[in-house]
Amino acid sequence: MCGIIGYTGRTQVLPKLFCGLKSLEYRGYDSAGIAFYDRNAGMMCLKEKGRVSEVEALADDYEKNNNTKIDAFCGIGHTRWATHGKPSDINSHPHCTMRVSIVHNGIIENYAELKDELTGHGYGFVSETDTETAAVLIDRFYCDTGDPVAAVRKASERIQGSYAFGIIFHDRPNEIYAARKDSPLIIAEGSDGNYIASDIPAVLRYTDKYYRLEEGETAVLTPGSVTVIKEDGTRFTPEYCKITWSVDAAEKEGFPHFMLKEIHEEPRAVRDTLSSVLSSDIEAFFRENDFDSINIAACGTAMHAGLICKYMTEKLARVPVNVYIASEFRYQDPILSERDLVIIISQSGETADSVAALRLAKERGARTLAVVNVVGSTAAREADHILMTLAGPEISVASTKAYASQIAVMYVLSVKLALVKGKISDEYASSLISDISDNVPSAIDGIIAQKDSIKALARNFLDCPSVFFVGRGLDCLVASEGSLKLKEITYIHSEAYAAGEMKHGTISLISEGTPVIALATEKDLLLKTLGNVKEVKSRGAYVVLVCNEDDIDSIDRSVCDSIIALPPLRSCFAPFTAIAALQLLSYYTAVLRGCDVDRPRNLAKSVTVE
Ligand code: F6R
């Protein structure tokens, strides 16, 4: 949520800032800005409501109007997802005072109190943001101490909330200062200078060496050095980790959108994730720890992956699983002890509510397991145990391949736990594992091969005000994820219902032409679901049936208007193919409606505020 980039080095900074910001736009995209030290004009700030390209145009205009070339080697940039203050030119970052320019991710909770105090000292404010308070506070302490590190640390001591800061002190125009608390920030070392960034894709083009700043650390970057200062004042040169993601992984590679590219990557992501989880020590972990309950906390799509885990684990291992929306976890006051396992599922590993749930679980003595896609993310670092999804960078705001990878982990967890609990035989466990490994990736490919017919189907959804997704059992859980995907990228209202529940109220919303997407992939539940489909069909619904290829012949075709046929797969693994079909349907509907697929309105990737 919000993207930060900064560079100080031996080459021009503007191309680096714009390139970094464009690759971070998925983190927030309602406004953008840069501050840099121009060798001719001194410290400059260009910012605007809108996309990064609009700030790029501002820089071009400046050069044209002044018949000059910007000549700058150190700067910071930001792409914003508004929290305090609407998206506007003034509220965009960087925020600048006489002495400092800063970019900020996170929320300063006590900003009103700090603002009052600083106003009392004669400081003025121009924006509605919490960030400007931090800029003024750092300015004030810099004025008092003349020491940038002391100024940042004193300000940090006064700030309640979360922050990742990139700061330039105007009288030290080749240096960048960075600090973080509860909001991620990396330092990266390149051959021509040093970088700060809120996320790896921003620096992928320039280097593969990064260091994740720890809580409470402050960093000082010059063109040739990086010094990190711990809370106790100890200084050190960071030891860098290697970025394993390739540059291509964060590029569209010929696809019109990241979302389409990422759906195409699902077979690979599932294959890689399975091989990593299957070679992990998860079985030993379950053998060493006998848990009374399993509790999952996650948000959005990741929470939907948790629902699959509940279904499968309760079915196979007969262990109770509670699934919590992470933002509600603390209010439900969960009863936890060291005999309980709390699983956090998070693509980014930085989602504030999921991290807060993880911390609460630890406080209450539970064992914690994080299922994350980003190495070294907060959840990965703080959990007792980690399982990595190997989806690679997911750039599109709508999660697709991360969900497929998360459910792959969930299936393995449920099988391993069932095996350890003695609820299934070795043979059955092996057959499930070989089935998922051998057949799921190719079955997803089978759905991707149907993309043209799914695209044709999408035309039927163009102008509808509302869509319903229904299903029973696992299908009901996939319906929730399908519905979320549709609403977030097409802006069409949609709801997911247990197929049998529609007639308890919601069926009153069905009228002539209302689209209903009915999932009926479980053989045992097929007839019952088809009964529910008939109920909506006879009230005029336009029904798309998602079912197994093998079942088509046995289905009375008058119950539906269109069919998406899933390639043959063991019924319990149908969520992989069904969701790929629903993701493609949402994708093409969004494209046909002219929506910004990868950057849907009001949303941002990696929600680092609660
Ligand atoms: C929806 C989507 C979100 C995320 C949610 C959790 O397409 O992407 O619902 O799943 O914000 O994010 P992570 O997994 O990073 O914790």
Side-chain angles (χ1 to χ4, degrees), residues 189-378:
E189 185 192 52
S191 55
D192 58 357
N194 295 308
Y195 301 79
I196 59 166
S198 46
D199 212 348
I200 286 173
V203 297
L204 261 183
R205 271 175 181 275
Y206 303 116
T207 176
D208 62 358
K209 290 202 266 176
Y210 78 104
Y211 170 78
R212 225 167 252 280
L213 209 60
E214 295 284 345
E215 293 285 290
E217 288 179 348
T218 310
V220 186
L221 284 74
T222 70
S225 69
V226 173
T227 309
V228 179
I229 302 123
K230 287 191 187 175
E231 254 167 339
D232 65 5
T234 322
R235 289 174 177 252
F236 64 96
T237 306
E239 271 183 36
Y240 294 99
C241 302
K242 192 166 162 54
I243 299 173
T244 49
W245 291 347
S246 70
V247 179
D248 289 351
E251 304 282 341
K252 286 190 201 142
E253 290 184 300
F255 286 93
H257 298 99
F258 279 109
M259 182 174 175
L260 188 60
K261 177 193 174 219
E262 289 163 4
I263 295 171
H264 277 76
E265 288 173 340
E266 284 179 20
R268 197 268 313 137
V270 167
R271 210 175 278 120
D272 290 355
T273 299
L274 286 172
S275 80
S276 142
V277 180
L278 289 169
S279 57
S280 74
D281 58 352
I282 190 63
E283 194 177 320
F285 177 71
F286 284 139
R287 285 198 193 285
E288 283 155 21
N289 299 280
D290 186 19
F291 297 113
D292 290 339
S293 79
I294 296 187
N295 305 273
I296 297 176
C299 302
T301 291
M303 191 274 291
H304 291 155
L307 295 174
I308 303 275
C309 185
K310 175 180 168 69
Y311 189 95
M312 291 307 297
T313 304
E314 292 185 343
K315 227 181 186 61
L316 294 177
R318 310 304 296 156
V319 173
V321 180
N322 306 307
V323 180
Y324 296 90
I325 294 171
S327 58
E328 290 294 311
F329 188 64
R330 77 201 82 160
Y331 311 124
Q332 300 193 358
D333 204 5
I335 303 162
L336 297 171
S337 75
E338 69 281 0
R339 289 194 48 84
D340 298 302
L341 175 66
V342 173
I343 304 177
I344 302 299
I345 309 172
S346 175
Q347 185 281 126
S348 60
E350 300 294 350
T351 301
D353 287 315
S354 305
V355 170
L358 168 67
R359 289 178 182 159
L360 179 64
K362 290 185 80 165
E363 241 171 70
R364 301 214 167 164
R367 296 298 302 275
T368 54
L369 164 66
V371 178
V372 292
N373 195 44
V374 180
V375 182
S377 56
T378 305

Side-chain angles (χ1 to χ4, degrees), residues 252-553:
K252 286 190 201 142
E253 290 184 300
F255 286 93
H257 298 99
F258 279 109
M259 182 174 175
L260 188 60
K261 177 193 174 219
E262 289 163 4
I263 295 171
H264 277 76
E265 288 173 340
E266 284 179 20
R268 197 268 313 137
V270 167
R271 210 175 278 120
D272 290 355
T273 299
L274 286 172
S275 80
S276 142
V277 180
L278 289 169
S279 57
S280 74
D281 58 352
I282 190 63
E283 194 177 320
F285 177 71
F286 284 139
R287 285 198 193 285
E288 283 155 21
N289 299 280
D290 186 19
F291 297 113
D292 290 339
S293 79
I294 296 187
N295 305 273
I296 297 176
C299 302
T301 291
M303 191 274 291
H304 291 155
L307 295 174
I308 303 275
C309 185
K310 175 180 168 69
Y311 189 95
M312 291 307 297
T313 304
E314 292 185 343
K315 227 181 186 61
L316 294 177
R318 310 304 296 156
V319 173
V321 180
N322 306 307
V323 180
Y324 296 90
I325 294 171
S327 58
E328 290 294 311
F329 188 64
R330 77 201 82 160
Y331 311 124
Q332 300 193 358
D333 204 5
I335 303 162
L336 297 171
S337 75
E338 69 281 0
R339 289 194 48 84
D340 298 302
L341 175 66
V342 173
I343 304 177
I344 302 299
I345 309 172
S346 175
Q347 185 281 126
S348 60
E350 300 294 350
T351 301
D353 287 315
S354 305
V355 170
L358 168 67
R359 289 178 182 159
L360 179 64
K362 290 185 80 165
E363 241 171 70
R364 301 214 167 164
R367 296 298 302 275
T368 54
L369 164 66
V371 178
V372 292
N373 195 44
V374 180
V375 182
S377 56
T378 305
R381 287 185 304 173
E382 295 190 12
D384 302 321
H385 209 83
I386 316 167
L387 286 176
M388 294 299 302
T389 50
L390 299 187
E394 193 179 60
I395 308 290
S396 183
V397 164
S399 191
T400 53
K401 62 176 178 171
Y403 174 79
S405 309
Q406 285 161 351
I407 64 173
V409 176
M410 299 304 127
Y411 280 100
V412 175
L413 280 184
S414 58
V415 172
K416 294 290 179 189
L417 187 60
L419 185 67
V420 168
K421 291 264 177 199
K423 300 287 180 192
I424 58 173
S425 65
D426 281 349
E427 294 70 33
Y428 186 50
S430 306
S431 81
L432 285 167
I433 295 294
S434 51
D435 217 5
I436 189 171
S437 308
D438 298 346
N439 300 328
V440 164
S442 54
I444 303 174
D445 271 329
I447 287 296
I448 294 170
Q450 295 181 39
K451 65 182 174 190
D452 288 340
S453 55
I454 295 177
K455 184 176 179 178
L457 192 58
R459 295 194 187 284
N460 298 310
F461 293 84
L462 273 192
D463 298 317
C464 58
S466 202
V467 175
F468 293 88
F469 289 76
V470 298
R472 285 174 178 261
L474 279 167
D475 288 334
C476 175
L477 312 179
V478 177
S480 298
E481 176 54 13
S483 166
L484 175 63
K485 221 72 322 172
L486 186 81
K487 64 178 80 130
E488 70 175 321
I489 62 167
T490 67
Y491 317 143
I492 297 173
H493 168 259
S494 81
E495 288 189 43
Y497 267 86
E501 182 66 9
M502 288 286 281
K503 57 180 163 291
H504 297 286
T506 313
I507 203 164
S508 65
L509 294 172
I510 303 291
S511 60
E512 200 55 39
T514 307
V516 173
I517 299 180
L519 290 99
T521 68
E522 286 195 69
K523 266 208 174 17
D524 299 350
L525 305 176
L526 183 64
L527 290 180
K528 276 207 190 316
T529 306
L530 290 179
N532 302 130
V533 173
K534 279 192 189 133
E535 290 158 8
V536 292
K537 182 72 191 142
S538 57
R539 283 156 182 90
Y542 169 81
V543 175
V544 177
L545 186 68
V546 182
C547 66
N548 292 317
E549 211 172 273
D550 312 350
D551 292 329
I552 290 186
D553 289 344

